[in-house]
Amino acid sequence: MDLTSPKVIRSIQDKFGFTFKKGLGQNFLTSNDILEDITDAADIDGGVIEIGPGFGVLTRALAEKAEKVISIELDERLLPVLQYTLSDFDNVKIVNADVLKLDLNSLIREEFGSQKVSIAANLPYYITTPIITRLLEEKLPVKNIVVMVQKEVAERMAAEPSTKDYGAITVLCKYFTNPQIVANVPSSLFVPPPKVDSAVLKLEVLDKPAVDVSDEKLFFRVVKAAFSQRRKTLLNCLCANFPINKADMSELLLKINIDPKRRGETLSLKEFAAITDAINSFSE
Ligand code: SAM
């Protein structure tokens, strides 16, 4: 069954009376090359969690390589479709749930024991940032996350300091992972085509965070503060978010060789870590 064929997609739609729901980000992939890019990047050697199988095009490609695929789909209208399109696989389980509300840690433990899994998805774009944030912050037993996302979002997640794309989400991704764009995907490769182009992003989860920090929560508060007002200096952004006066904050930054007049978007992860440690020791 070639689910990348728009003809096949249409015939399944007719068979099940299925109409696409824009609100659920239902844009189905029609490229075998991109499927291969995703499964190659996922570097599968055991279990896979998929988010949003749709008609099962990526699920099938993953199931060919994985021991077991657990696929989480919110739209219950897709359950009979998936039963039909995946009937020749016995290593796929569909979980009908909202991925944002699911206890992923328990699910992974129940299904895969102590094994680390890959996460693969052509993500519904309306939940890209919350889901990636959750996947990273919850420190799940995951070795890599390979996701199709809006091109601009992929560029932000893999950006370098001092570029317009560099922001708090970049720092989050680079703190926990090595982010790389694996492929650019034009909107014409989806049915129905979305308004924006896409990219496949690989987040290779690091064994330990990219920088050592004395307090991780504080680190992310510093990052959020530094990017809170892009046109303001680092000094002003930090003082607006921490109970430290300007003179003290300025001295604290100068002591770690950071010019208080710099902008948040010029700071490396190491510099964010140094600021965190300095604020932490000042507050003690
Ligand atoms: N994997 C298919 C493909 O590549 O063609 C479909 C991808 S489509 C972009 C996104 C899928 O995610 C849809 O099947 C949609 O119903 C599902 N979805 C949307 N919101 C979801 C949520 N909160 N939790 C789980 N699945 C969701």
Side-chain angles (χ1 to χ4, degrees), residues 18 21 23-30 35 38 50-59 72-75 77-78 95 97-101 121-127 148 190-191:
F18 183 86
K21 268 196 189 156
L24 287 180
Q26 290 178 337
N27 305 98
F28 295 174
L29 184 62
T30 61
L35 284 178
I38 297 174
E50 186 196 12
I51 300 163
F55 279 1
V57 70
L58 175 60
T59 325
I72 304 157
E73 175 57 60
L74 174 61
D75 187 351
R77 297 174 310 149
L78 286 166
V95 176
D98 179 343
V99 68
L100 289 174
K101 294 187 183 147
N122 172 9
L123 282 181
Y125 293 167
Y126 76 103
I127 55 165
M148 175 94 70
F190 298 87
V191 169

Side-chain angles (χ1 to χ4, degrees), residues 116-170:
K116 278 193 179 178
V117 298
S118 299
I119 296 187
N122 172 9
L123 282 181
Y125 293 167
Y126 76 103
I127 55 165
T128 304
T129 307
I131 187 65
I132 291 185
T133 305
R134 239 201 91 189
L135 294 178
L136 297 178
E137 285 181 348
E138 283 188 16
K139 300 186 182 169
L140 302 169
V142 166
K143 60 178 199 146
N144 57 48
I145 301 167
V146 181
V147 280
M148 175 94 70
V149 296
Q150 191 178 327
K151 186 166 173 268
E152 287 71 20
V153 175
E155 284 167 354
R156 253 183 265 145
M157 291 181 176
E160 294 302 328
S162 298
T163 62
K164 71 169 178 23
D165 290 330
Y166 190 69
I169 191 76
T170 323

